[in-house]
Amino acid sequence: MVGTSDTEMLALEAPPTTSRRRRKRSLVWEHFTIETISDGCTKACCKQCKQTFAYSTGKKIAGTSHLKRHITVGSCSKLRQEKKQLALLTASKTGLNSTEPPKRRYRWRSTLNFDQDRSRADLARMIIMQEYPLHMVEHSAFKAFIQGLQPEFKMPDHAAIESEILGIYQKEKQNLMQLFSTNPGRVCLSIALYTTTQTLGYVCVTGHFVDNDWKLHSRVLNFSMVSSAHSENALSEVIGLSLSDWNMKSKLFTITLDNNCSSHDIYSANLRDHLSNKDMLMLKGQLFVVRCYAHILNVVAQDVIASIHGIVYNIRESLKYIKASLANEERFSEIVQQLEIPCTRTLTLDVQTHWDTTYLMLVAALEFRHAFAYLETCDPHYNESPSPDDWKKLEIVCTYLKLLYDSANVVVGTADPTANIYFQEAWKIQLDLSHATVSEDSLVSSIAKEMHEKFDKYWKDCSLVLAIAVVMDPRFKMKFVEFAFSKIYGDADGVKYTKMVDDGIHGLYDEYAAQPVQLTQVYTEQQMDTDNGVANIDTSHMITTDATVDAMPTPSDAIIESNGEVPADAATATTGGNEPAGSTLAAGDGLMDFDIYISEISVNQQTKSELDQYLEESLVPRIPAFDILNWWRLNSLKYPVLSKMAQDVLAIPMLTVPASSIFSIGSGSRMIDEYRSSLQPDIVEALFCSRDWLQYVPMSEAPSTAVLKLEL
């Protein structure tokens, strides 16, 4: 602006000043007024008690915090008196003498919208998981209960709930197929048989595998109805359809059966068509059929108990007599005290379908044998005591039943038992029974022969797969196989059987080593030498990605110029492969012939395989908390091929039943109740499979949209 001084310019640009103050919004000003004391100095005065507080001095304002404290913590005498009067008034109306002010009450008010579809799916899951009858949705009492909880819920009928269950089955099946597709290893199957009162049969096919995180999985794949579960082609047909249904024909490793199923059923024409390519079976099928360990324990135990059924009957009747009246119990207790029998066990009747309870009953009865004999002499109504010869025979039977009982408890006590634990258990039974068969005591040898006859067949069928599994245990390896076979067969024959295992495990490893190994890059370091343009690639931490092991670069491949030419200082490392990679031949030292000699040895010398390196290393200490799957997970970089083999071998199921059912599997077939067997086969399969799958799915909870309401 022309003719305007600098002072005038500053005056024009400066913002206009105002004396208007911002409106006070704090609630404290409902209780206080501002009073001017002098120029630029004000105080806040309480309307109730007239007490004053500093507020402002010049441009400095004290704030309102001290004013809030005055009216909230009870400093104001007037407000405090009013609160007491209000409390007394409230107490007089409610009949209370409390002088405390009324407490604030909080109430939840849910604003969650009702979801009919979700509620119906939750109902279907409940029926599946709890095995409720489907027609419960038509029960009038259940309908009334649900209406009381949620009047908006429309109860589905029987057909609608069936459709809902089938939908859940299909959804969970797709999720499981996705899990199988991401698992590069093989799958082992186990076969369980079910029967119904209508003489129909069902075959349950369960898949077992170890995933990429080295976690053991077991999932029911199919639950199919067959006219006769033990017919010639029934098992192979169901297995073949299951392999096609789940797209795992090329991933099958082993099949575990109970001892009632014959190998001929598995190798029949129907299954052979599905496995027409011989390369689909590892080790030419030598490990293909595995027998159920729980079933052989059950069969041997039931047979030996049946051989002394008369003695078992007498003991059962003796216990019934003693427990029939309080007088009998007191008389028996007096005899026990008189004879000074140590009471380390309790006399209880057995559950005849659980052989472990029969064994415990017999062992307890042995401790009280003298009390039973004495009771028979003084009580004319009791005559069921076993004879001295019976007690002797019972003692021998219990000695060998203990072998089965202890072995079964090892399996039951192991969380997620892998295949490596069974060799040691089966070997101990085989060793003790084989030695007992040649005992000089005719009674011992006769009992042992009956037990050994059946168990020896299991040992001959499964010792190879059991031994290979224990070799995958770094605490035992081949050392334990050598030791175990020498104890059973003697030194000469032990070497022969050990060689069979050694040949088998090396043959199996060769098949795994011949397969393309997928590489997964765990850690890779690349350093570029900017001075000479050489890339140093560290492949020591590489395991499978999308190339084969043969395609991995050698050290000489990694030493290249950025333009693809070999650098001069690395020429000695890539001279046709005659010199060892990375060596530098010192010119003029007169040792050129020595360097050539060393390189020829390196070329001609065979490198040891991962399996041989593993077997030659020292054993891992045997500690109770040892986790074999975690050990292989940590060593999978060191043994990329062998770890894949261990992953499949350790997943082999040695049981066709849950470990908790090892004492009560009966004849190998389980019963389906009449209600389930009356349903359509596809519904039975959906219910059975979905119940198994849903136990691994976390129960989802509806998002909470409830709000907290405050009542004064």
Side-chain angles (χ1 to χ4, degrees):
M1 183 178 297
V2 180
T4 305
S5 64
D6 294 338
T7 304
E8 291 173 337
M9 286 290 292
L10 291 173
L12 288 173
E13 292 177 0
T17 59
T18 177
S19 61
R20 186 176 61 183
R21 292 182 177 273
R22 183 170 58 88
R23 180 182 177 184
K24 295 179 175 57
R25 298 182 179 179
S26 177
L27 296 178
V28 300
W29 300 115
E30 295 179 5
H31 302 274
F32 288 87
T33 60
I34 298 177
E35 297 179 358
T36 303
I37 304 301
S38 61
D39 293 339
C41 182
T42 61
K43 286 190 176 182
C45 179
C46 178
K47 295 179 181 180
Q48 301 292 332
C49 64
K50 303 305 180 182
Q51 185 177 353
T52 59
F53 300 87
Y55 179 61
S56 66
T57 304
K59 295 182 179 180
K60 184 177 180 181
I61 299 178
T64 60
S65 298
H66 60 305
L67 306 181
K68 292 178 181 177
R69 287 194 295 271
H70 176 71
I71 63 175
T72 57
V73 300
S75 299
C76 180
S77 59
K78 292 288 186 179
L79 286 176
R80 188 165 60 248
Q81 185 176 2
E82 288 181 2
K83 288 183 178 180
K84 287 183 179 180
Q85 292 175 352
L86 179 61
L88 290 173
L89 180 62
T90 304
S92 63
K93 290 182 178 180
T94 58
L96 301 175
N97 294 324
S98 174
T99 59
E100 297 181 359
K103 296 182 178 179
R104 293 181 177 181
R105 294 180 297 170
Y106 296 89
R107 181 179 65 183
W108 283 98
R109 186 184 72 185
S110 177
T111 59
L112 182 64
N113 293 327
F114 170 69
D115 190 333
Q116 171 71 24
D117 293 336
R118 178 187 174 87
S119 298
R120 189 163 66 174
D122 288 341
L123 174 60
R125 291 189 187 94
M126 181 190 74
I127 291 174
I128 293 171
M129 295 301 296
Q130 303 303 322
E131 299 185 279
Y132 292 139
L134 273 64
H135 57 261
M136 71 177 294
V137 297
E138 298 175 353
H139 294 171
S140 57
F142 182 67
K143 286 183 177 180
F145 172 70
I146 296 299
Q147 285 298 307
L149 294 178
Q150 178 51 262
E152 295 183 24
F153 181 67
K154 297 178 180 178
M155 183 68 68
D157 58 15
H158 189 278
I161 205 67
E162 279 190 355
S163 178
E164 193 72 38
I165 290 171
L166 289 173
I168 293 173
Y169 166 75
Q170 292 296 337
K171 177 184 176 182
E172 296 302 326
K173 184 175 182 178
Q174 291 299 320
N175 294 337
L176 185 55
M177 292 189 76
Q178 180 64 26
L179 177 62
F180 277 120
S181 66
T182 59
N183 183 60
R186 290 181 173 262
V187 177
C188 305
L189 301 182
S190 63
I191 309 299
L193 306 180
Y194 287 76
T195 58
T196 68
T197 55
Q198 292 89 351
T199 67
L200 296 174
Y202 279 85
V203 177
C204 177
V205 181
T206 304
H208 309 261
F209 64 96
V210 174
D211 65 13
N212 290 323
D213 295 326
W214 288 91
K215 301 297 182 184
L216 182 63
H217 294 268
S218 297
R219 299 290 190 274
V220 173
L221 303 181
N222 295 92
F223 195 79
S224 306
M225 188 184 76
V226 293
S227 57
S228 176
H230 293 283
S231 63
E232 181 177 350
N233 295 327
L235 290 181
S236 64
E237 184 176 352
V238 169
I239 295 170
L241 292 175
S242 182
L243 293 175
S244 299
D245 187 23
W246 291 91
N247 194 26
M248 58 175 62
K249 284 191 255 183
S250 62
K251 302 180 75 172
L252 180 61
F253 190 41
T254 64
I255 295 180
T256 304
L257 309 166
D258 65 41
N259 293 275
N260 289 333
C261 303
S262 68
S263 299
H264 176 71
D265 296 339
I266 298 301
Y267 286 117
S268 65
N270 290 331
L271 185 57
R272 193 180 300 116
D273 292 341
H274 287 275
L275 304 174
S276 57
N277 186 353
K278 296 294 183 182
D279 294 336
M280 288 185 180
L281 298 181
M282 304 297 289
L283 206 60
K284 299 180 180 179
Q286 293 184 60
L287 309 178
F288 186 52
V289 176
V290 182
R291 294 297 175 181
C292 176
Y293 186 67
H295 190 267
I296 189 61
L297 292 183
N298 181 75
V299 168
V300 175
Q302 293 285 5
D303 284 354
V304 72
I305 291 173
S307 68
I308 56 168
H309 65 278
I311 303 173
V312 175
Y313 173 82
N314 286 341
I315 291 176
R316 285 189 184 126
E317 293 301 313
S318 297
L319 293 181
K320 291 177 184 178
Y321 179 80
I322 294 171
K323 295 180 181 297
S325 67
L326 182 60
N328 290 349
E329 288 190 20
E330 292 177 349
R331 185 183 301 112
F332 190 78
S333 297
E334 292 174 358
I335 293 174
V336 170
Q337 293 178 3
Q338 182 179 349
L339 298 177
E340 298 180 351
I341 297 175
C343 300
T344 60
R345 298 178 182 272
T346 303
L347 286 170
T348 55
L349 278 169
D350 64 329
V351 179
Q352 297 186 30
T353 56
H354 294 68
W355 65 264
D356 59 320
T357 64
T358 304
Y359 163 73
L360 294 175
M361 179 188 71
L362 298 178
V363 171
L366 279 170
E367 288 191 2
F368 296 90
R369 69 180 83 176
H370 299 299
F372 286 116
Y374 190 88
L375 179 64
E376 193 171 39
T377 62
C378 64
D379 188 341
H381 301 290
Y382 171 70
N383 57 0
E384 299 292 348
S385 177
S387 66
D389 290 339
D390 289 341
W391 286 117
K392 181 181 178 181
K393 187 174 184 179
L394 179 61
E395 188 173 12
I396 296 172
V397 167
C398 287
T399 299
Y400 294 101
L401 272 178
K402 186 177 187 299
L403 293 173
L404 311 180
Y405 177 78
D406 290 345
S407 182
N409 275 317
V410 169
V411 177
V412 173
T414 304
D416 297 326
T418 44
N420 58 296
I421 72 170
Y422 293 90
F423 179 85
Q424 182 179 356
E425 298 306 315
W427 163 72
K428 288 187 293 187
I429 296 175
Q430 176 72 4
L431 178 65
D432 287 348
L433 290 180
S434 60
H435 286 177
T437 57
V438 294
S439 172
E440 295 180 358
D441 189 323
S442 60
L443 187 57
V444 171
S445 61
S446 63
I447 293 174
K449 284 179 181 178
E450 292 180 8
M451 300 177 67
H452 184 259
E453 182 180 354
K454 286 186 170 59
F455 196 86
D456 185 59
K457 185 178 185 304
Y458 172 83
W459 176 256
K460 289 178 179 177
D461 288 344
C462 298
S463 59
L464 178 61
V465 65
L466 294 175
I468 289 178
V470 83
V471 172
M472 293 293 96
D473 191 329
R475 299 169 297 174
F476 298 107
K477 302 183 182 179
M478 281 297 299
K479 301 284 193 306
F480 186 66
V481 175
E482 296 169 3
F483 168 79
F485 283 166
S486 67
K487 289 292 184 181
I488 293 179
Y489 303 112
D491 293 336
D493 290 340
V495 172
K496 180 180 67 174
Y497 286 103
T498 299
K499 187 178 185 305
M500 292 174 58
V501 176
D502 188 70
D503 292 342
I505 198 167
H506 276 85
L508 184 63
Y509 172 79
D510 290 342
E511 293 186 24
Y512 275 87
Q515 298 175 1
V517 181
Q518 297 181 344
L519 295 181
T520 304
Q521 184 171 347
V522 176
Y523 182 73
T524 305
E525 292 181 354
Q526 294 185 358
Q527 294 179 338
M528 297 300 298
D529 188 343
T530 56
D531 294 335
N532 56 17
V534 178
N536 298 319
I537 302 176
D538 180 9
T539 59
S540 61
H541 299 288
M542 295 284 293
I543 63 172
T544 51
T545 52
D546 290 328
T548 62
V549 172
D550 294 336
M552 291 181 65
T554 62
S556 60
D557 295 329
I559 307 176
I560 57 174
E561 291 280 355
S562 58
N563 59 4
E565 298 180 358
V566 179
D569 58 353
T572 56
T574 57
T575 55
N578 293 326
E579 285 80 21
S583 67
T584 303
L585 302 180
D589 64 358
L591 297 177
M592 180 69 73
D593 291 342
F594 174 71
D595 291 324
I596 295 175
Y597 169 72
I598 294 298
S599 66
E600 289 176 349
I601 292 178
S602 301
V603 171
N604 296 328
Q605 187 177 15
Q606 293 291 334
T607 59
K608 293 181 180 178
S609 66
E610 291 177 18
L611 176 59
D612 290 332
Q613 293 178 37
Y614 166 77
L615 294 177
E616 291 178 5
E617 289 182 352
S618 58
L619 302 180
V620 172
R622 299 193 306 276
I623 56 176
F626 180 73
D627 185 344
I628 188 171
L629 293 180
N630 188 53
W631 189 91
W632 278 105
R633 180 183 67 83
L634 296 175
N635 287 272
S636 58
L637 294 179
K638 184 178 181 180
Y639 305 113
V641 176
L642 188 60
S643 64
K644 300 302 295 181
M645 174 175 154
Q647 197 171 27
D648 294 340
V649 170
L650 294 175
I652 297 175
M654 298 299 172
L655 308 177
T656 60
V657 296
S660 58
S661 303
I662 196 169
F663 295 108
S664 58
I665 60 174
S667 62
S669 297
R670 281 149 283 177
M671 292 292 297
I672 300 178
D673 59 70
E674 293 186 5
Y675 172 75
R676 285 284 191 272
S677 60
S678 66
L679 300 173
Q680 292 297 321
D682 59 336
I683 298 297
V684 175
E685 182 173 41
L687 288 170
F688 198 94
C689 293
S690 298
R691 186 173 185 270
D692 177 74
W693 301 339
L694 288 175
Q695 66 179 314
Y696 303 103
V697 179
M699 295 296 292
S700 58
E701 297 182 358
S704 177
T705 57
V707 295
L708 183 64
K709 300 297 290 183
L710 174 63
E711 284 188 354
L712 294 175

